[in-house]
């Protein structure tokens, strides 16, 4: 993971799809490291990338925090557990909302799954203002080097309602 051209961390992830009859479910798991802070997120979505449930544990400096949430009937119910105790939160979320954790880069794959152009709702867990919108746009075609191979790619831009831009 790099920020402004400098290495900030490392992320090893896997996204898999499971077919259950006519229903597709995606599961994204990862190990994410930023210095001494380690995250282990697991995201389950429907076939369109809309969040079904999310569980992330964060370990840093000998402390552990867990955020576990599930969407049911338009509500995101979350349980937060840390050394300070437990807390429960509930948020109303729009149908079809995607989840973007600030510290987990591979969640952006679900943006491209949904749409390369257009706007839709997102949920940002572990923040007090958990909802927002993202607008996707196509910047153009580029070539990426992965290992020793050149790969054609579409450069996408995600503009968040809070003003952040992710390319």
């Amino acid at each position: 993971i790099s920020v402004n051209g400098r290495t900030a961390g490392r992320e090893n992830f896997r996204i898999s799809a499971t077919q259950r009859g006519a229903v597709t479910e995606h599961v994204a798991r990862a190990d994410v490291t930023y210095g001494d802070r380690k995250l282990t997120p697991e995201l389950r979505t429907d076939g369109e990338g809309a969040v079904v449930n999310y569980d992330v544990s964060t370990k840093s400096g000998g402390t552990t925090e867990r955020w576990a949430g599930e969407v049911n009937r338009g509500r995101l119910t979350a349980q937060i557990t840390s050394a300070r105790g437990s807390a429960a939160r509930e948020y109303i979320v729009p149908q079809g909302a995607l989840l973007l954790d600030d510290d987990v880069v591979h969640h952006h794959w679900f943006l491209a799954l949904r749409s390369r152009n257009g706007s839709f709702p997102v949920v940002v867990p572990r923040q007090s203002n958990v909802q927002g919108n993202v607008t996707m746009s196509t910047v153009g075609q580029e070539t990426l080097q992965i290992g020793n191979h050149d790969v054609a790619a579409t450069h996408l831009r995600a503009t968040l309602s809070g003003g952040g831009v992710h390319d």
Side-chain angles (χ1 to χ4, degrees), residues 71-129:
V71 174
N72 193 2
R73 298 182 185 178
R75 294 188 185 280
L76 170 63
T77 304
Q79 184 74 30
I80 301 98
T81 308
S82 70
R84 297 181 309 271
S86 294
R89 301 280 187 268
E90 185 173 85
Y91 309 94
I92 296 173
V93 295
Q95 182 176 354
L98 302 185
L99 183 135
L100 289 179
D101 190 314
D102 285 339
D103 293 325
V104 182
V105 175
H106 75 270
H107 286 172
H108 289 78
W109 180 83
F110 292 98
L111 297 175
L113 174 68
R114 174 67 60 88
S115 174
R116 293 180 177 220
N117 293 290
S119 294
F120 40 86
V122 293
V123 172
V124 182
R126 303 183 305 133
Q127 288 190 2
S128 57
N129 184 8

Side-chain angles (χ1 to χ4, degrees), residues 2-155:
S2 63
V3 177
N4 297 324
R6 301 186 74 186
T7 300
R10 182 173 182 85
E11 182 169 315
N12 295 310
F13 67 92
R14 177 185 171 121
I15 301 172
S16 59
T18 304
Q19 196 73 29
R20 294 184 184 177
V23 177
T24 300
E25 175 186 76
H26 291 99
V27 178
R29 293 183 177 99
D31 292 311
V32 183
T33 304
Y34 293 95
D36 75 336
R37 192 164 56 104
K38 298 185 183 333
L39 292 88
T40 53
E42 181 177 298
L43 172 62
R44 293 183 182 275
T45 75
D46 66 14
E48 296 282 314
V51 61
V52 173
N53 63 43
Y54 184 58
D55 191 321
V56 60
S57 292
T58 306
K59 295 179 182 180
S60 179
T63 64
T64 301
E65 182 173 293
R66 180 172 180 234
W67 191 101
E70 181 175 26
V71 174
N72 193 2
R73 298 182 185 178
R75 294 188 185 280
L76 170 63
T77 304
Q79 184 74 30
I80 301 98
T81 308
S82 70
R84 297 181 309 271
S86 294
R89 301 280 187 268
E90 185 173 85
Y91 309 94
I92 296 173
V93 295
Q95 182 176 354
L98 302 185
L99 183 135
L100 289 179
D101 190 314
D102 285 339
D103 293 325
V104 182
V105 175
H106 75 270
H107 286 172
H108 289 78
W109 180 83
F110 292 98
L111 297 175
L113 174 68
R114 174 67 60 88
S115 174
R116 293 180 177 220
N117 293 290
S119 294
F120 40 86
V122 293
V123 172
V124 182
R126 303 183 305 133
Q127 288 190 2
S128 57
N129 184 8
V130 73
Q131 297 182 56
N133 284 298
V134 65
T135 301
M136 295 295 295
S137 58
T138 301
V139 176
Q141 298 299 310
E142 295 184 7
T143 301
L144 299 177
Q145 188 173 34
I146 299 176
N148 294 326
H149 303 284
D150 288 341
V151 178
T154 303
H155 180 162

